[in-house]
Coordinates of all heavy atoms in Angstrom, one line a residue:
M1404 N 145.2 5.6 -37.8 CA 144.9 4.5 -36.9 C 144.3 5.0 -35.6 O 144.7 6.1 -35.0 CB 146.2 3.8 -36.5 CG 146.1 2.6 -35.7 SD 147.6 1.7 -35.5 CE 148.1 2.4 -33.9
R1405 N 143.3 4.3 -35.1 CA 142.7 4.7 -33.8 C 143.0 3.7 -32.8 O 143.2 2.5 -33.0 CB 141.1 4.6 -34.0 CG 140.5 5.8 -34.8 CD 139.1 5.8 -34.7 NE 138.5 7.0 -35.3 CZ 138.1 7.1 -36.5 NH1 138.1 6.1 -37.3 NH2 137.6 8.2 -36.9
I1406 N 143.2 4.1 -31.6 CA 143.4 3.3 -30.4 C 142.0 2.7 -30.1 O 141.1 3.4 -29.9 CB 144.0 4.1 -29.2 CG1 145.3 4.7 -29.6 CG2 144.0 3.2 -28.0 CD1 145.9 5.6 -28.6
N1407 N 142.0 1.4 -29.9 CA 140.7 0.7 -29.7 C 140.6 0.1 -28.3 O 139.6 0.0 -27.7 CB 140.4 -0.3 -30.7 CG 140.2 0.3 -32.1 OD1 139.5 1.3 -32.2 ND2 140.8 -0.2 -33.2
A1408 N 141.8 -0.4 -27.8 CA 141.8 -1.0 -26.5 C 141.4 0.0 -25.4 O 142.1 0.9 -25.2 CB 143.1 -1.7 -26.3
G1409 N 140.4 -0.4 -24.6 CA 140.0 0.4 -23.5 C 139.5 1.8 -23.7 O 139.4 2.7 -22.9
V1410 N 139.0 2.0 -24.9 CA 138.4 3.3 -25.3 C 136.9 3.1 -25.6 O 136.5 2.2 -26.3 CB 139.1 3.8 -26.6 CG1 138.4 5.1 -27.0 CG2 140.5 4.0 -26.4
Q1411 N 136.1 4.0 -25.0 CA 134.6 3.9 -25.3 C 134.4 5.0 -26.4 O 134.8 6.2 -26.1 CB 133.8 4.2 -24.0 CG 133.8 3.0 -23.0 CD 132.7 3.3 -22.0 OE1 132.5 4.4 -21.6 NE2 132.2 2.2 -21.5
R1412 N 133.7 4.7 -27.4 CA 133.5 5.8 -28.4 C 132.1 6.1 -28.5 O 131.2 5.4 -28.0 CB 133.9 5.1 -29.8 CG 135.3 4.6 -29.9 CD 135.9 5.0 -31.3 NE 137.2 4.5 -31.2 CZ 138.3 5.3 -30.9 NH1 138.1 6.5 -30.4 NH2 139.5 4.8 -30.9
G1413 N 131.8 7.3 -29.1 CA 130.4 7.7 -29.2 C 129.7 7.0 -30.4 O 130.3 6.1 -31.0
R1414 N 128.5 7.5 -30.7 CA 127.7 6.9 -31.7 C 128.4 7.0 -33.1 O 129.1 8.0 -33.3 CB 126.4 7.7 -31.8 CG 125.4 7.3 -32.8 CD 124.2 8.2 -32.6 NE 124.4 9.6 -32.7 CZ 124.4 10.2 -33.8 NH1 124.0 9.7 -35.0 NH2 124.6 11.5 -33.8
I1415 N 128.3 6.1 -34.0 CA 128.9 6.1 -35.3 C 127.9 6.7 -36.3 O 126.8 6.5 -36.2 CB 129.2 4.6 -35.7 CG1 130.2 3.9 -34.8 CG2 129.7 4.6 -37.2 CD1 130.5 2.5 -35.2
F1416 N 128.5 7.6 -37.1 CA 127.8 8.1 -38.2 C 128.7 8.5 -39.3 O 129.9 8.3 -39.2 CB 126.8 9.3 -37.8 CG 127.6 10.5 -37.2 CD1 128.0 11.5 -37.9 CD2 127.7 10.5 -35.8 CE1 128.7 12.6 -37.3 CE2 128.4 11.6 -35.2 CZ 128.9 12.7 -36.0
M1417 N 128.1 9.0 -40.4 CA 128.9 9.2 -41.6 C 129.0 10.8 -41.9 O 128.1 11.5 -41.6 CB 128.3 8.6 -42.8 CG 128.1 7.1 -42.7 SD 129.6 6.2 -42.6 CE 130.1 6.2 -44.3
I1418 N 130.2 11.2 -42.3 CA 130.4 12.5 -42.9 C 131.0 12.3 -44.2 O 131.5 11.2 -44.6 CB 131.2 13.4 -41.9 CG1 132.6 13.0 -41.8 CG2 130.5 13.6 -40.6 CD1 133.5 14.0 -41.1
E1419 N 131.2 13.4 -44.9 CA 131.9 13.3 -46.2 C 133.3 14.1 -46.1 O 133.4 15.2 -45.6 CB 131.1 14.0 -47.3 CG 131.5 13.6 -48.7 CD 130.4 14.1 -49.7 OE1 129.4 13.4 -49.9 OE2 130.6 15.2 -50.2
V1420 N 134.4 13.3 -46.4 CA 135.7 14.0 -46.4 C 136.2 14.0 -47.8 O 136.5 12.9 -48.4 CB 136.6 13.2 -45.4 CG1 138.0 13.9 -45.5 CG2 136.1 13.2 -44.0
D1421 N 136.4 15.1 -48.4 CA 136.9 15.3 -49.8 C 136.1 14.4 -50.8 O 136.6 13.7 -51.6 CB 138.4 14.9 -49.8 CG 139.2 15.8 -49.1 OD1 138.9 17.1 -49.0 OD2 140.3 15.5 -48.6
G1422 N 134.8 14.4 -50.5 CA 133.9 13.6 -51.4 C 133.7 12.2 -51.1 O 132.9 11.6 -51.7
T1423 N 134.4 11.7 -50.1 CA 134.3 10.3 -49.7 C 133.5 10.1 -48.4 O 133.9 10.7 -47.4 CB 135.7 9.7 -49.6 OG1 136.4 9.9 -50.8 CG2 135.7 8.2 -49.3
P1424 N 132.5 9.3 -48.5 CA 131.7 9.0 -47.2 C 132.7 8.3 -46.2 O 133.4 7.4 -46.5 CB 130.6 8.0 -47.7 CG 130.5 8.3 -49.1 CD 131.8 8.6 -49.6
T1425 N 132.7 8.9 -45.0 CA 133.7 8.4 -44.0 C 133.0 8.2 -42.7 O 132.2 9.0 -42.2 CB 134.7 9.5 -43.8 OG1 135.3 9.8 -45.1 CG2 135.8 9.1 -42.8
Q1426 N 133.3 7.0 -42.1 CA 132.6 6.7 -40.8 C 133.4 7.5 -39.6 O 134.6 7.4 -39.6 CB 132.8 5.2 -40.6 CG 132.2 4.7 -39.2 CD 132.3 3.2 -39.1 OE1 131.8 2.5 -39.9 NE2 133.1 2.8 -38.2
V1427 N 132.6 8.1 -38.8 CA 133.2 8.8 -37.7 C 132.5 8.5 -36.4 O 131.5 7.9 -36.4 CB 133.2 10.4 -37.8 CG1 134.0 10.7 -39.2 CG2 131.8 10.9 -38.0
F1428 N 133.1 8.8 -35.3 CA 132.5 8.7 -34.0 C 132.2 10.0 -33.4 O 132.9 11.0 -33.4 CB 133.5 7.9 -33.1 CG 133.9 6.5 -33.6 CD1 134.9 6.4 -34.3 CD2 133.0 5.5 -33.3 CE1 135.3 5.1 -34.8 CE2 133.3 4.2 -33.7 CZ 134.5 4.0 -34.5
E1429 N 130.9 10.1 -32.8 CA 130.5 11.3 -32.2 C 131.5 11.7 -31.1 O 132.0 10.9 -30.4 CB 129.1 11.0 -31.5 CG 128.5 12.3 -31.0 CD 127.0 12.0 -30.5 OE1 126.9 11.0 -29.7 OE2 126.1 12.6 -31.0
G1430 N 131.8 13.0 -31.0 CA 132.8 13.5 -30.0 C 134.1 13.6 -30.4 O 135.0 14.2 -29.8
E1431 N 134.5 13.1 -31.6 CA 135.9 13.3 -32.1 C 136.0 14.5 -33.0 O 135.0 15.0 -33.5 CB 136.4 12.0 -32.8 CG 135.8 11.6 -34.1 CD 136.4 10.3 -34.7 OE1 137.3 9.8 -33.9 OE2 135.9 9.9 -35.7
T1432 N 137.2 15.0 -33.1 CA 137.4 16.2 -33.9 C 137.7 15.9 -35.5 O 138.0 14.8 -35.7 CB 138.6 17.1 -33.4 OG1 139.7 16.3 -33.5 CG2 138.3 17.5 -31.9
L1433 N 137.6 16.8 -36.3 CA 138.0 16.6 -37.6 C 139.4 16.3 -37.8 O 139.8 15.6 -38.6 CB 137.6 17.9 -38.5 CG 136.1 18.2 -38.6 CD1 135.8 19.5 -39.3 CD2 135.3 17.0 -39.2
A1434 N 140.3 16.9 -36.9 CA 141.7 16.6 -36.9 C 141.9 15.0 -36.7 O 142.6 14.4 -37.3 CB 142.5 17.4 -35.9
A1435 N 141.1 14.5 -35.7 CA 141.2 13.1 -35.4 C 140.8 12.2 -36.6 O 141.4 11.2 -36.9 CB 140.4 12.7 -34.2
V1436 N 139.7 12.7 -37.3 CA 139.3 12.0 -38.5 C 140.3 12.0 -39.6 O 140.6 10.9 -40.1 CB 137.9 12.6 -38.9 CG1 137.5 12.0 -40.3 CG2 136.9 12.5 -38.0
L1437 N 140.9 13.1 -39.8 CA 142.0 13.1 -40.8 C 143.2 12.2 -40.5 O 143.7 11.5 -41.3 CB 142.5 14.6 -41.1 CG 141.4 15.5 -41.8 CD1 142.0 16.9 -41.8 CD2 141.2 15.1 -43.2
L1438 N 143.6 12.3 -39.2 CA 144.7 11.5 -38.7 C 144.3 10.0 -38.9 O 145.2 9.2 -39.3 CB 145.2 11.9 -37.4 CG 145.8 13.2 -37.3 CD1 145.9 13.6 -35.8 CD2 147.2 13.2 -38.0
A1439 N 143.1 9.6 -38.5 CA 142.7 8.2 -38.6 C 142.6 7.8 -40.0 O 142.8 6.6 -40.3 CB 141.3 8.1 -37.9
L1440 N 142.5 8.7 -41.0 CA 142.4 8.3 -42.4 C 143.9 8.2 -42.9 O 144.1 8.0 -44.1 CB 141.7 9.4 -43.2 CG 140.2 9.3 -43.0 CD1 139.5 10.6 -43.7 CD2 139.6 8.0 -43.6
G1441 N 144.9 8.5 -42.0 CA 146.3 8.5 -42.5 C 146.8 9.8 -43.1 O 147.8 9.8 -43.8
R1442 N 145.9 10.8 -42.8 CA 146.3 12.1 -43.5 C 146.9 13.1 -42.3 O 146.4 13.3 -41.4 CB 145.0 12.7 -43.9 CG 144.2 12.0 -44.9 CD 144.7 12.4 -46.4 NE 144.7 13.8 -46.5 CZ 143.6 14.5 -46.8 NH1 142.5 13.9 -47.0 NH2 143.7 15.9 -46.9
A1443 N 148.2 13.4 -42.7 CA 148.8 14.5 -41.8 C 148.5 15.9 -42.3 O 148.8 16.8 -41.5 CB 150.2 14.1 -41.7
D1444 N 148.1 16.0 -43.6 CA 147.9 17.3 -44.1 C 146.4 17.7 -44.0 O 145.5 16.9 -44.0 CB 148.3 17.3 -45.6 CG 147.5 16.3 -46.4 OD1 147.3 15.2 -45.9 OD2 147.1 16.7 -47.5
A1445 N 146.2 19.0 -43.9 CA 144.8 19.5 -43.8 C 144.6 20.5 -44.9 O 143.5 20.6 -45.3 CB 144.6 20.1 -42.4
R1446 N 145.6 21.3 -45.3 CA 145.5 22.3 -46.3 C 146.8 22.4 -47.0 O 147.7 21.8 -46.6 CB 145.0 23.6 -45.6 CG 146.1 24.2 -44.7 CD 145.7 25.6 -44.2 NE 146.7 26.2 -43.4 CZ 147.7 27.0 -43.8 NH1 147.7 27.3 -45.1 NH2 148.7 27.4 -43.1
A1447 N 146.8 23.3 -47.9 CA 148.1 23.7 -48.6 C 148.3 25.2 -48.4 O 147.4 26.0 -48.4 CB 148.1 23.3 -50.0
D1448 N 149.6 25.6 -48.3 CA 149.8 27.0 -48.2 C 149.9 27.7 -49.6 O 149.6 26.9 -50.6 CB 151.2 27.3 -47.4 CG 152.4 26.8 -48.2 OD1 152.4 26.5 -49.4 OD2 153.5 26.8 -47.6
L1449 N 150.2 28.9 -49.7 CA 150.0 29.6 -51.0 C 151.0 29.0 -52.1 O 150.8 29.3 -53.2 CB 150.2 31.1 -50.9 CG 149.0 31.7 -50.1 CD1 149.2 33.2 -49.9 CD2 147.7 31.4 -50.6
R1450 N 152.1 28.3 -51.7 CA 153.0 27.8 -52.6 C 152.7 26.3 -52.9 O 153.4 25.6 -53.5 CB 154.4 27.8 -52.0 CG 154.9 29.3 -51.9 CD 156.3 29.3 -51.4 NE 156.8 30.6 -51.3 CZ 158.0 31.0 -50.8 NH1 158.7 30.0 -50.3 NH2 158.3 32.3 -50.7
G1451 N 151.5 25.8 -52.3 CA 151.1 24.5 -52.5 C 151.7 23.4 -51.7 O 151.6 22.3 -51.8
R1452 N 152.4 23.9 -50.6 CA 153.1 23.0 -49.7 C 152.1 22.5 -48.7 O 151.3 23.3 -48.2 CB 154.3 23.6 -49.0 CG 155.4 24.1 -49.9 CD 156.4 24.7 -49.2 NE 155.9 26.0 -48.7 CZ 156.6 27.1 -48.2 NH1 157.9 27.0 -48.3 NH2 156.0 28.2 -47.8
P1453 N 152.1 21.2 -48.4 CA 151.1 20.7 -47.4 C 151.3 21.2 -46.0 O 152.4 21.4 -45.6 CB 151.3 19.2 -47.5 CG 152.6 19.0 -48.0 CD 153.0 20.2 -48.8
R1454 N 150.3 21.5 -45.3 CA 150.3 22.0 -44.0 C 149.3 21.1 -43.1 O 148.3 20.7 -43.6 CB 149.8 23.5 -43.8 CG 150.4 24.4 -44.7 CD 151.9 24.5 -44.6 NE 152.3 25.0 -43.3 CZ 153.6 25.3 -42.9 NH1 154.5 25.1 -43.8 NH2 153.8 25.8 -41.8
G1455 N 149.7 20.8 -41.9 CA 148.9 19.9 -41.1 C 148.8 20.3 -39.7 O 149.3 21.4 -39.3
M1456 N 148.3 19.4 -38.9 CA 148.1 19.6 -37.5 C 149.4 19.9 -36.8 O 150.4 19.1 -37.0 CB 147.4 18.4 -36.8 CG 145.9 18.3 -37.1 SD 145.3 18.4 -38.7 CE 145.5 16.8 -39.3
F1457 N 149.5 20.9 -36.0 CA 150.8 21.3 -35.4 C 150.6 21.4 -33.9 O 151.2 20.7 -33.2 CB 151.4 22.5 -36.1 CG 152.7 23.0 -35.5 CD1 153.8 22.2 -35.7 CD2 152.8 24.1 -34.7 CE1 155.0 22.6 -35.1 CE2 154.0 24.5 -34.1 CZ 155.1 23.7 -34.3
C1458 N 149.7 22.4 -33.5 CA 149.6 22.6 -32.0 C 148.5 21.8 -31.5 O 148.5 21.4 -30.4 CB 149.3 24.0 -31.8 SG 147.7 24.6 -32.4
N1459 N 147.4 21.4 -32.3 CA 146.3 20.7 -31.9 C 145.6 21.3 -30.7 O 144.9 20.6 -29.9 CB 146.7 19.2 -31.6 CG 145.5 18.3 -31.8 OD1 144.7 18.5 -32.5 ND2 145.5 17.2 -31.0
M1460 N 145.6 22.6 -30.6 CA 144.9 23.3 -29.6 C 144.3 24.7 -30.1 O 144.0 25.5 -29.3 CB 145.7 23.5 -28.3 CG 146.9 24.3 -28.6 SD 147.9 24.3 -27.0 CE 148.9 25.7 -27.4
G1461 N 144.2 24.9 -31.4 CA 143.6 26.0 -31.9 C 144.4 27.3 -32.0 O 143.9 28.3 -32.4
T1462 N 145.7 27.2 -31.9 CA 146.6 28.4 -31.9 C 147.2 28.6 -33.2 O 147.3 29.8 -33.7 CB 147.7 28.2 -30.8 OG1 147.0 28.1 -29.6 CG2 148.5 29.4 -30.8
C1463 N 147.7 27.6 -33.9 CA 148.5 27.8 -35.1 C 147.7 28.0 -36.4 O 148.3 28.5 -37.4 CB 149.5 26.7 -35.3 SG 148.7 25.1 -35.8
C1464 N 146.5 27.5 -36.5 CA 145.7 27.6 -37.8 C 146.3 26.9 -38.9 O 145.8 27.2 -40.1 CB 145.4 29.1 -38.1 SG 144.4 29.9 -36.9
E1465 N 147.2 26.0 -38.7 CA 147.7 25.1 -39.8 C 146.7 24.1 -40.3 O 146.9 23.5 -41.3 CB 149.0 24.5 -39.4 CG 150.1 25.4 -39.0 CD 150.6 26.1 -40.3 OE1 150.1 25.9 -41.3 OE2 151.5 27.0 -40.1
C1466 N 145.6 23.8 -39.5 CA 144.8 22.7 -39.8 C 143.5 23.2 -40.4 O 142.4 22.4 -40.3 CB 144.4 22.0 -38.5 SG 143.6 23.0 -37.3
L1467 N 143.5 24.4 -41.0 CA 142.2 24.9 -41.6 C 141.6 24.0 -42.7 O 142.4 23.4 -43.6 CB 142.4 26.3 -42.2 CG 142.8 27.4 -41.3 CD1 143.1 28.7 -42.0 CD2 141.5 27.6 -40.4
V1468 N 140.4 23.6 -42.5 CA 139.7 22.9 -43.5 C 138.4 23.7 -43.8 O 138.0 24.5 -43.2 CB 139.3 21.4 -43.0 CG1 140.5 20.6 -42.9 CG2 138.5 21.5 -41.7
E1469 N 137.8 23.2 -45.0 CA 136.5 23.8 -45.4 C 135.4 22.9 -45.0 O 135.3 21.8 -45.3 CB 136.6 24.0 -46.9 CG 135.5 24.8 -47.5 CD 135.6 25.0 -49.0 OE1 135.4 24.0 -49.8 OE2 136.1 26.0 -49.4
V1470 N 134.4 23.4 -44.2 CA 133.4 22.7 -43.6 C 132.1 23.2 -44.0 O 131.8 24.4 -43.9 CB 133.5 22.7 -42.1 CG1 132.4 21.8 -41.5 CG2 134.8 22.2 -41.6
T1471 N 131.2 22.3 -44.6 CA 129.8 22.7 -44.9 C 128.9 21.8 -44.0 O 129.1 20.6 -43.9 CB 129.5 22.3 -46.4 OG1 130.5 23.0 -47.2 CG2 128.1 22.9 -46.8
V1472 N 128.0 22.5 -43.4 CA 127.1 21.8 -42.5 C 125.7 21.7 -43.2 O 125.4 22.7 -44.0 CB 127.0 22.4 -41.1 CG1 128.2 22.2 -40.4 CG2 126.6 23.8 -41.2
P1473 N 124.8 20.8 -43.0 CA 123.5 20.7 -43.6 C 122.8 22.0 -43.3 O 122.8 22.5 -42.2 CB 122.9 19.4 -43.0 CG 124.0 18.7 -42.5 CD 125.1 19.6 -42.1
G1474 N 122.1 22.5 -44.3 CA 121.3 23.7 -44.1 C 122.1 25.0 -44.4 O 121.5 26.1 -44.4
S1475 N 123.4 24.9 -44.5 CA 124.2 26.0 -44.8 C 124.6 26.1 -46.3 O 124.9 25.1 -46.9 CB 125.4 26.0 -43.9 OG 126.3 27.0 -44.4
R1476 N 124.5 27.3 -46.9 CA 124.8 27.4 -48.3 C 126.2 27.5 -48.5 O 126.8 27.1 -49.6 CB 124.1 28.6 -48.8 CG 122.6 28.4 -48.9 CD 122.1 29.7 -49.5 NE 120.7 29.5 -49.9 CZ 120.0 30.3 -50.7 NH1 120.6 31.2 -51.3 NH2 118.7 30.0 -50.9
H1477 N 127.0 28.1 -47.6 CA 128.4 28.3 -47.8 C 129.3 27.6 -46.9 O 129.0 27.5 -45.7 CB 128.6 29.9 -47.7 CG 127.7 30.7 -48.5 ND1 127.8 30.7 -49.8 CD2 126.7 31.4 -48.2 CE1 126.9 31.5 -50.3 NE2 126.2 32.0 -49.3
P1478 N 130.3 27.0 -47.4 CA 131.4 26.4 -46.6 C 132.1 27.4 -45.7 O 132.1 28.6 -46.1 CB 132.3 25.7 -47.5 CG 132.1 26.4 -48.8 CD 130.7 27.0 -48.8
R1479 N 132.6 27.0 -44.6 CA 133.4 27.9 -43.7 C 134.7 27.3 -43.4 O 134.8 26.1 -43.3 CB 132.6 28.1 -42.4 CG 131.3 28.8 -42.5 CD 130.6 28.9 -41.2 NE 131.4 29.6 -40.2 CZ 131.2 29.4 -38.9 NH1 130.3 28.8 -38.4 NH2 132.1 30.1 -38.1
R1480 N 135.6 28.2 -43.3 CA 137.0 27.7 -43.0 C 137.0 27.5 -41.4 O 136.6 28.4 -40.7 CB 138.0 28.7 -43.3 CG 138.6 28.4 -44.7 CD 139.7 29.4 -44.9 NE 139.2 30.6 -45.5 CZ 139.9 31.6 -45.8 NH1 141.2 31.7 -45.5 NH2 139.3 32.7 -46.4
M1481 N 137.4 26.3 -41.0 CA 137.4 26.1 -39.5 C 138.6 25.3 -39.2 O 139.2 24.6 -40.0 CB 136.2 25.2 -39.2 CG 134.8 25.9 -39.6 SD 133.4 25.1 -39.1 CE 133.3 25.5 -37.5
R1482 N 139.0 25.4 -37.9 CA 140.3 24.7 -37.5 C 139.8 23.3 -37.1 O 138.9 23.0 -36.3 CB 140.7 25.4 -36.2 CG 141.5 26.6 -36.6 CD 141.9 27.4 -35.3 NE 140.6 28.0 -34.9 CZ 140.6 28.9 -33.8 NH1 141.7 29.2 -33.3 NH2 139.5 29.4 -33.5
A1483 N 140.4 22.3 -37.8 CA 140.1 20.9 -37.7 C 140.2 20.4 -36.3 O 139.5 19.6 -35.8 CB 140.9 20.0 -38.7
C1484 N 141.3 21.0 -35.5 CA 141.5 20.4 -34.3 C 140.5 20.9 -33.2 O 140.5 20.4 -32.1 CB 142.9 20.9 -33.8 SG 143.2 22.6 -33.6
L1485 N 139.7 22.0 -33.6 CA 138.7 22.5 -32.6 C 137.3 22.2 -33.1 O 136.4 22.5 -32.3 CB 138.9 23.9 -32.4 CG 140.2 24.5 -31.9 CD1 140.1 26.0 -31.7 CD2 140.4 23.8 -30.5
T1486 N 137.2 21.5 -34.2 CA 135.8 21.3 -34.7 C 135.4 19.8 -34.6 O 136.0 19.0 -35.1 CB 135.8 21.7 -36.2 OG1 136.3 23.1 -36.4 CG2 134.4 21.6 -36.8
D1487 N 134.3 19.7 -33.8 CA 133.8 18.4 -33.6 C 133.0 17.9 -34.9 O 132.4 18.7 -35.6 CB 132.8 18.3 -32.5 CG 133.4 18.4 -31.1 OD1 134.7 18.2 -31.0 OD2 132.8 18.6 -30.1
V1488 N 133.0 16.6 -35.1 CA 132.3 16.0 -36.2 C 130.7 16.3 -36.0 O 130.3 16.3 -34.8 CB 132.5 14.5 -36.4 CG1 133.9 14.3 -36.9 CG2 132.2 13.8 -35.2
A1489 N 130.0 16.5 -37.0 CA 128.6 16.6 -36.9 C 127.9 15.9 -38.1 O 128.4 15.8 -39.2 CB 128.2 18.1 -36.9
E1490 N 126.7 15.3 -37.8 CA 126.1 14.6 -38.8 C 125.8 15.4 -40.1 O 125.4 16.6 -39.9 CB 124.7 14.0 -38.3 CG 124.3 12.7 -39.0 CD 123.6 11.8 -37.9 OE1 123.5 12.1 -36.8 OE2 123.2 10.8 -38.5
G1491 N 126.1 14.8 -41.2 CA 125.8 15.5 -42.5 C 126.9 16.5 -42.9 O 126.8 17.1 -43.9
Q1492 N 128.0 16.6 -42.2 CA 129.1 17.5 -42.4 C 129.8 17.1 -43.7 O 129.9 15.9 -44.0 CB 130.0 17.4 -41.3 CG 130.5 18.7 -40.7 CD 131.4 18.4 -39.5 OE1 131.8 17.3 -39.2 NE2 131.5 19.4 -38.7
S1493 N 130.2 18.0 -44.4 CA 131.1 17.8 -45.6 C 132.3 18.6 -45.4 O 132.4 19.8 -45.1 CB 130.4 18.3 -46.9 OG 131.2 18.1 -47.9
V1494 N 133.5 17.9 -45.4 CA 134.8 18.4 -45.2 C 135.7 18.5 -46.4 O 135.8 17.4 -47.0 CB 135.5 17.8 -44.0 CG1 136.9 18.4 -43.7 CG2 134.6 17.7 -42.8
G1495 N 136.3 19.7 -46.7 CA 137.2 19.7 -47.8 C 138.6 20.0 -47.3 O 138.7 21.0 -46.5
S1496 N 139.5 19.2 -47.5 CA 140.9 19.5 -47.1 C 141.8 19.8 -48.3 O 141.2 19.7 -49.5 CB 141.5 18.3 -46.3 OG 141.6 17.2 -47.1
N1497 N 143.0 20.0 -48.1 CA 143.9 20.3 -49.2 C 143.6 21.6 -50.0 O 143.9 21.7 -51.2 CB 144.1 19.1 -50.2 CG 145.1 18.2 -49.7 OD1 146.0 18.7 -49.0 ND2 145.0 16.9 -50.0
K1498 N 142.8 22.4 -49.4 CA 142.6 23.8 -50.1 C 143.8 24.6 -49.9 O 144.5 24.5 -48.9 CB 141.3 24.4 -49.4 CG 140.1 23.6 -49.4 CD 139.5 23.4 -50.7 CE 138.3 22.5 -50.6 NZ 137.7 22.2 -51.9
T1499 N 144.0 25.5 -50.8 CA 145.1 26.4 -50.7 C 144.8 27.7 -50.0 O 144.0 28.5 -50.6 CB 145.7 26.6 -52.1 OG1 146.1 25.4 -52.6 CG2 147.0 27.5 -52.0
W1500 N 145.3 27.9 -48.8 CA 145.0 29.1 -48.1 C 146.2 29.6 -47.4 O 147.0 28.8 -46.8 CB 143.9 28.9 -47.1 CG 142.5 28.6 -47.5 CD1 141.9 29.1 -48.6 CD2 141.8 27.6 -47.0 NE1 140.7 28.6 -48.7 CE2 140.6 27.6 -47.7 CE3 141.8 26.7 -45.9 CZ2 139.5 26.7 -47.5 CZ3 140.8 25.8 -45.7 CH2 139.7 25.8 -46.4
S1501 N 146.3 30.9 -47.3 CA 147.2 31.4 -46.2 C 146.4 31.5 -44.9 O 145.3 31.7 -45.0 CB 147.6 32.8 -46.6 OG 148.1 33.5 -45.5
K1502 N 147.1 31.2 -43.9 CA 146.4 31.2 -42.6 C 146.1 32.6 -42.2 O 145.4 32.9 -41.2 CB 147.1 30.4 -41.5 CG 148.4 31.0 -41.1 CD 149.0 30.1 -40.0 CE 150.4 30.7 -39.6 NZ 151.0 29.8 -38.6
Y1503 N 146.6 33.6 -43.0 CA 146.4 35.0 -42.6 C 145.3 35.6 -43.4 O 145.0 36.8 -43.2 CB 147.7 35.8 -42.7 CG 148.8 35.1 -41.9 CD1 149.9 34.5 -42.5 CD2 148.8 35.2 -40.5 CE1 150.9 33.9 -41.7 CE2 149.8 34.7 -39.7 CZ 150.8 34.0 -40.3 OH 151.8 33.4 -39.6
E1504 N 144.8 34.9 -44.3 CA 143.7 35.5 -45.2 C 142.5 35.8 -44.3 O 142.1 35.0 -43.4 CB 143.3 34.5 -46.3 CG 144.3 34.4 -47.4 CD 143.8 33.4 -48.5 OE1 142.6 33.0 -48.5 OE2 144.7 33.0 -49.2
Ligands
FES769 S1 146.5 22.3 -35.2 FE1 147.0 24.4 -34.6 S2 145.0 25.3 -34.8 FE2 144.6 23.3 -35.3

């Protein structure tokens, strides 16, 4: 859910989240997008347990997602709470990773 009253948002564009086209606002983070989609999880640990946003300031690495940007061949693991949305981005969540890999 997004707060709408009294909030000015950036330009609207689309990114892909787990293969689904998703409307986002310029200036928001991937963590905000996942939370707005009702998703508290971002990845799974090595035992398959869901992990999600915890610190929301780049310290805990619980929010790792796989991000592919246009023009890049390889996806990169990035912290959702520190990564701004970008046009043409493709985001994969629920990947199984240890944050120490
Ligand atoms: S929520 Fe802790 S690094 Fe993103």
Side-chain angles (χ1 to χ4, degrees):
M1404 183 175 96
R1405 286 187 168 98
I1406 297 170
N1407 291 316
V1410 176
Q1411 287 189 328
R1412 300 220 180 274
R1414 181 177 57 91
I1415 295 173
F1416 56 91
M1417 303 296 282
I1418 66 171
E1419 198 170 276
V1420 178
D1421 295 329
T1423 303
T1425 304
Q1426 180 179 298
V1427 299
F1428 297 94
E1429 190 171 53
E1431 66 184 0
T1432 64
L1433 295 176
V1436 172
L1437 289 174
L1438 291 170
L1440 290 171
R1442 299 271 312 277
D1444 60 319
R1446 66 177 182 92
D1448 67 13
L1449 294 179
R1450 293 182 180 172
R1452 298 174 296 195
R1454 310 300 294 185
M1456 281 53 84
F1457 182 67
C1458 71
N1459 205 29
M1460 62 182 196
T1462 303
C1463 71
C1464 292
E1465 297 292 359
C1466 63
L1467 290 174
V1468 290
E1469 190 175 75
V1470 178
T1471 306
V1472 293
S1475 171
R1476 289 182 172 199
H1477 305 291
R1479 295 179 55 200
R1480 270 187 269 177
M1481 302 180 82
R1482 288 171 284 187
C1484 67
L1485 294 183
T1486 306
D1487 286 346
V1488 293
E1490 206 145 356
Q1492 225 170 22
S1493 176
V1494 181
S1496 65
N1497 273 334
K1498 307 290 179 184
T1499 300
W1500 294 317
S1501 162
K1502 67 180 180 180
Y1503 303 109
E1504 285 178 19

